[in-house]
């Protein structure tokens, strides 16, 4: 017996057949919900259960804490309805931003640090790729595995896509990028994916907090905001280990010089002797709350390693940030 699901706001409804998860049913019926890993580790598909009940085949997913579960949070990628449901979730804008698979050609490879490569890709000109600033794509590997990377360029800035690939020892894709990939190589992608994207029409000053290659989706958001003449204050904090990891530093400083409403603050967690002594030290989320002890009136986007996301979420909510004004993208390791 199928179950009915109603999504708020908007009163979007669809049916879930026996054996399906809520996300599977939504995608099958053209309802574009945000999702990422589809195995319960990233938290992208998190939503609030208003009424009804769900179950998980293998127990509570890792991205859902006991407190979140008790508060009515659910992960749609694994949740199976046990009754009719009413859920509060973000539905992606309709149109051409639905996920699909497509080929891309490698245009260039730029090694910007010891362990970060910027890979530029070109989709087929006859198949325009549309996405929201902040979303990501999956690289589909030949053995069926997939690896997720944020898109680091704003939509509408030319045909090429930019990925920031950090080398991971033994990484199924990153090792290939650093040791074998050449220009003109052909890859297959699926996307756009994810519910982490720039929220249009929000009239609040914006804080963007990135760790490591978590700068990639934030760069796309900032470029988009500039292109759209966003006039409210934007302040980017980028946490890296040391100055040698600040591979977009000059570009971001130039952007801050060109736009009075944009500020850029790098933060070093393991500064080296030759680093600029005037650069902030410590953890990036601590720098944010030192500068903004009251976050009640801000919109915050944060992306990077899970430990950084967890620490930032706790610190920001404790400083009055409304939960619905915190958007995050946790760069979890891929699960095969």
């Amino acid at each position: 017996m199928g179950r009915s699901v109603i999504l708020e706001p908007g009163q979007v409804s669809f049916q879930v057949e026996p054996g399906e998860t809520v996300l599977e049913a939504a995608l099958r019926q053209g309802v574009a919900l945000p999702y990422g890993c589809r195995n319960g580790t990233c938290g992208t598909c998190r939503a609030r259960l208003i009424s009804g009940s769900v179950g998980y085949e293998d127990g509570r997913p890792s991205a859902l804490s006991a407190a979140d579960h008790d508060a009515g949070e659910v992960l749609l990628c694994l949740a199976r309805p046990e009754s009719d449901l009413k859920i509060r979730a973000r539905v992606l804008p309709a149109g051409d931003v639905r996920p699909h698979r497509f080929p891309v050609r490698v245009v260039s490879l730029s090694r910007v640090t010891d362990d970060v490569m910027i890979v530029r890709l070109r989709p087929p000109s006859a198949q325009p790729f549309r996405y929201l600033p902040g979303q990501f794509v999956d690289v589909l590997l030949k053995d069926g595995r997939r690896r997720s990377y944020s898109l680091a360029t704003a939509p509408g800035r030319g045909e090429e896509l930019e990925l920031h690939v950090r080398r991971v020892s033994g990484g199924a894709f990153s090792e290939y990028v650093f040791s074998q990939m050449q220009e003109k190589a052909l890859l297959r992608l699926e996307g756009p994916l994810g519910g982490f994207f720039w929220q249009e029409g929000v009239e609040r000053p914006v804080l963007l907090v990135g760790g490591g290659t978590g700068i990639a989706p934030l760069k796309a958001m900032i470029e988009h905001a500039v292109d759209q003449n966003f006039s409210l204050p934007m302040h980017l904090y980028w946490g890296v280990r040391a100055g040698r990891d600040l591979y977009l530093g000059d570009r971001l400083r130039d952007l801050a010089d060109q736009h009075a409403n944009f500020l850029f603050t790098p933060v070093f967690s393991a500064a080296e002797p030759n680093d600029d002594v005037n650069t902030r030290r410590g953890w990036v989320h601590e720098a944010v709350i030192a500068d903004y002890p009251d976050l009640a009136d801000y919109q915050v986007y944060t992306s990077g390693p899970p430990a950084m996301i967890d620490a930032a979420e706790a610190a920001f909510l404790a400083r009055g940030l409304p939960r619905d004004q915190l958007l995050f993208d946790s760069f979890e390791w891929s699960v095969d």
Side-chain angles (χ1 to χ4, degrees):
M1 178 179 176
R3 304 292 190 179
S4 66
V5 176
I6 297 176
L7 299 179
E8 292 185 351
Q11 297 295 306
V12 175
S13 62
F14 57 92
Q15 288 292 122
V16 183
E17 297 302 324
E20 279 189 312
T21 66
V22 176
L23 178 64
E24 288 169 343
L27 297 178
R28 175 175 57 81
Q29 294 165 84
V31 179
L33 293 173
Y35 70 93
C37 65
R38 300 184 75 159
N39 57 35
T41 61
C42 74
T44 301
C45 63
R46 182 183 306 222
R48 174 61 63 90
L49 187 63
I50 300 173
S51 64
S53 61
V54 302
Y56 300 100
E57 190 171 21
D58 298 316
R60 177 170 52 84
S62 60
L64 197 65
S65 70
D68 291 336
H69 180 270
D70 292 344
E73 301 288 318
V74 293
L75 292 189
L76 302 182
C77 69
L78 296 180
R80 301 180 188 275
E82 296 176 338
S83 66
D84 292 343
L85 305 176
K86 184 175 287 188
I87 296 172
R88 182 173 292 114
R90 286 186 298 135
V91 179
L92 299 183
D96 297 326
V97 295
R98 300 185 187 279
H100 62 282
R101 295 185 178 189
F102 58 100
V104 291
R105 186 78 65 179
V106 176
V107 176
S108 65
L109 298 160
S110 302
R111 190 164 182 168
V112 290
T113 73
D114 289 344
D115 61 353
V116 175
M117 187 86 75
I118 292 181
V119 182
R120 298 192 70 84
L121 308 167
R122 180 175 291 126
S125 57
Q127 188 180 3
F129 176 60
R130 293 181 173 85
Y131 60 97
L132 303 174
Q135 289 190 294
F136 67 91
V137 293
D138 274 359
V139 179
L140 306 178
L141 306 183
K142 292 180 179 179
D143 61 5
R145 291 181 290 177
R146 55 176 64 210
R147 293 296 182 262
S148 302
Y149 292 95
S150 295
L151 295 160
T153 44
R157 287 203 170 195
E159 297 179 356
E160 295 180 1
L161 307 176
E162 181 180 305
L163 309 182
H164 296 186
V165 179
R166 180 177 297 282
R167 188 171 198 170
V168 177
S169 179
F173 181 67
S174 67
E175 288 287 10
Y176 167 66
V177 169
F178 276 80
S179 62
Q180 300 180 46
M181 181 181 280
Q182 297 181 3
E183 292 181 5
K184 299 185 179 180
L186 189 65
L187 300 173
R188 286 190 63 81
L189 305 183
E190 182 177 353
L193 302 170
F196 181 70
F197 55 85
W198 181 263
Q199 304 294 298
E200 303 289 355
V202 175
E203 296 297 318
R204 291 170 177 259
V206 171
L207 301 177
L208 306 107
V209 187
T213 53
I215 190 63
L218 304 183
K219 172 179 174 289
M221 291 181 179
I222 293 165
E223 290 177 349
H224 174 77
V226 168
D227 292 346
Q228 298 299 311
N229 298 313
F230 185 75
S231 60
L232 292 173
M234 294 187 295
H235 194 161
L236 168 66
Y237 290 80
W238 185 14
V240 295
R241 293 163 298 190
R244 57 188 170 85
D245 301 306
L246 208 65
Y247 57 88
L248 295 180
D250 290 343
R251 188 183 309 182
L252 293 168
R253 292 187 189 97
D254 288 345
L255 200 61
D257 290 340
Q258 296 164 11
H259 299 275
N261 67 317
F262 176 64
L263 297 175
F264 169 49
T265 300
V267 182
F268 297 161
S269 62
E272 296 174 344
N274 60 342
D275 284 335
D276 184 352
V277 295
N278 295 314
T279 302
R280 298 281 284 274
R281 305 300 204 256
W283 300 116
V284 65
H285 69 281
E286 293 178 346
V288 175
I289 60 177
D291 295 344
Y292 298 92
D294 183 355
L295 294 172
D297 296 325
Y298 288 85
Q299 177 104 3
V300 179
Y301 300 88
T302 181
S303 61
M308 187 207 85
I309 297 295
D310 292 344
E313 180 180 16
F316 297 165
L317 296 179
R319 267 67 178 184
L321 179 69
R323 183 174 286 278
D324 62 355
Q325 298 300 332
L326 172 63
L327 294 99
F328 60 88
D329 189 6
S330 183
F331 282 31
E332 296 276 1
W333 298 112
S334 295
V335 176
D336 294 330

